[in-house]
Amino acid sequence: MNALAMMDDSALLKNEHTQYKHLSTHYDAKYKVGWFRMHGEPRPCFTGTLLSEISSYFSSVKEEMLATQGQQYNYLVLASDVDNVFNLGGDLALFSELIAKQDADGLLQYAISCIDVLYANMVHLNTDLTTIALVKGDALGGGFEAALSSNVLVAEKGSKLGLPEVLFNLFPGMGAYSLLSRKIGPSQAEKMILAGKLYTAEELYEMGVVDILAEPGDGELEVYRFVDKTSKSQNSHEALRKVRDLCNPVSYEELVSITKIWVESALKLTPRDLRMMKRLVQRQSHKSSHNDDVVNG
């Protein structure tokens, strides 16, 4: 099957059905691909609403897979409806508010909701489908973690991905270390986390973090090329994914234990750290309507 021909059919994506507030979904029946695109508001970050809606979407996909003996979906693709932004990460405005109130329960509740979605995506909903992230634009903090949690990470050249949490004296506590250390080793993962810098998709492809590098504007095409390629040896790819799951497992308990450390660390942030966090919130808000750099400047 020609990938370009498949892309013609995927033009239906332009008419995605929206049943959620912060999420758009589309089902490509011909190729058994489910697309879910994020557009968190007022900033393109992981709002509580977006997290809840992704969880709801996952539940509906699992129900459909159960009803069809696992035949409904072969792929789920996480993408964005926001130009030049994949996702800017955690809801820093909420973090600031909860930290100022020393609300440990509120922070943990938010963090667990992130872990629940990330873990489900990572284990491909405990089904035989494959999860794919398509990054076009900035993927920061939790946005980068979400992309990493997918079985396959596709990124367009020029996209920027990074973990800026160290800039406000925190660390990415929703899966970054677990996922990166298994992909590129613990030492390199720690360097990335402590650097607090943005990396281009090209750099991360060379490091082995990004699996498929796409030309600008060709992200969807590369997704369908991957679908086309794997469909010719579906059994081999499914078997290899199962082997990878066995050899590099990340348990839910590991993720929760790490995020509890994140909560403890967050509650220790100083007023100076919170001011930096608020500055980043302002830049996130600016980013949602301008193509400025969120971290630098």
Side-chain angles (χ1 to χ4, degrees):
M1 181 72 65
N2 186 288
L4 286 173
M6 300 176 81
M7 190 61 187
D8 290 339
D9 286 296
S10 74
L12 291 171
L13 292 175
K14 296 178 181 177
N15 300 313
E16 290 179 347
H17 173 63
T18 302
Q19 65 185 90
Y20 303 108
K21 292 181 178 179
H22 293 184
L23 194 69
S24 299
T25 65
H26 168 78
Y27 178 61
D28 184 337
K30 187 172 183 179
Y31 303 107
K32 297 184 179 181
V33 180
W35 292 78
F36 59 117
R37 296 175 181 268
M38 305 174 286
H39 47 87
E41 298 174 2
R43 292 172 301 280
C45 65
F46 279 112
T47 63
T49 298
L50 176 58
L51 290 167
S52 176
E53 290 180 350
I54 293 176
S55 180
S56 176
Y57 174 65
F58 281 173
S59 294
S60 69
V61 170
K62 290 180 69 174
E63 289 174 4
E64 291 178 74
M65 289 290 277
L66 182 62
T68 61
Q69 291 76 51
Q71 299 302 306
Q72 185 76 0
Y73 294 85
N74 284 339
Y75 307 91
L76 279 189
V77 185
L78 171 62
S80 172
D81 260 340
V82 182
D83 289 342
N84 303 314
V85 175
F86 176 74
N87 189 287
L88 298 181
D91 189 341
L92 298 185
L94 177 63
F95 292 174
S96 296
E97 177 184 337
L98 294 174
I99 292 169
K101 295 191 297 186
Q102 291 290 286
D103 186 352
D105 290 339
L107 283 170
L108 183 59
Q109 182 179 359
Y110 176 88
I112 293 297
S113 66
C114 292
I115 293 300
D116 288 345
V117 167
L118 180 138
Y119 184 75
N121 193 57
M122 184 180 66
V123 299
H124 36 91
L125 281 59
N126 289 312
T127 69
D128 282 336
L129 61 77
T130 296
T131 57
I132 302 172
L134 171 56
V135 176
K136 304 171 66 173
D138 293 345
L140 307 182
F144 189 12
E145 289 172 312
L148 287 168
S149 73
S150 296
N151 304 147
V152 179
L153 202 175
V154 181
E156 291 189 358
K157 291 181 179 179
S159 297
K160 295 179 180 179
L161 306 89
L163 302 163
E165 287 84 351
V166 70
L167 298 181
F168 47 85
N169 203 21
L170 203 53
F171 75 98
M174 288 78 165
Y177 185 85
S178 298
L179 295 165
L180 279 173
S181 64
R182 284 162 172 80
K183 256 198 164 182
I184 59 176
S187 178
Q188 191 66 19
E190 289 184 24
K191 287 180 180 178
M192 286 188 66
I193 289 170
L194 293 174
K197 61 172 282 189
L198 297 185
Y199 296 83
T200 64
E202 295 91 323
E203 289 176 306
L204 293 178
Y205 179 72
E206 292 299 322
M207 293 168 61
V209 176
V210 169
D211 300 303
I212 299 173
L213 189 63
E215 293 295 327
D218 284 351
E220 285 84 359
L221 176 61
E222 289 298 337
V223 168
Y224 276 92
R225 280 178 173 156
F226 174 79
V227 169
D228 185 29
K229 179 181 178 181
T230 56
S231 66
K232 296 174 182 176
S233 52
Q234 192 75 30
N235 187 58
S236 297
H237 280 87
E238 288 182 359
L240 187 58
R241 188 192 59 224
K242 291 176 181 178
V243 169
R244 187 167 57 246
D245 289 346
L246 286 171
C247 292
N248 295 300
V250 178
S251 70
Y252 182 79
E253 290 73 22
E254 175 182 326
L255 295 173
V256 171
S257 295
I258 291 173
T259 207
K260 286 181 178 178
I261 296 173
W262 177 85
V263 171
E264 294 173 2
S265 300
L267 293 174
K268 296 177 182 177
L269 294 185
T270 67
R272 179 180 179 276
D273 298 327
L274 291 178
R275 285 195 297 272
M276 173 58 75
M277 189 181 290
K278 289 179 180 178
R279 284 180 60 193
L280 291 177
V281 172
Q282 292 172 349
R283 293 174 186 178
Q284 283 188 354
S285 299
H286 190 63
K287 180 67 179 179
S288 63
S289 56
H290 297 82
N291 192 26
D292 291 345
D293 188 274
V294 179
V295 178
N296 300 317

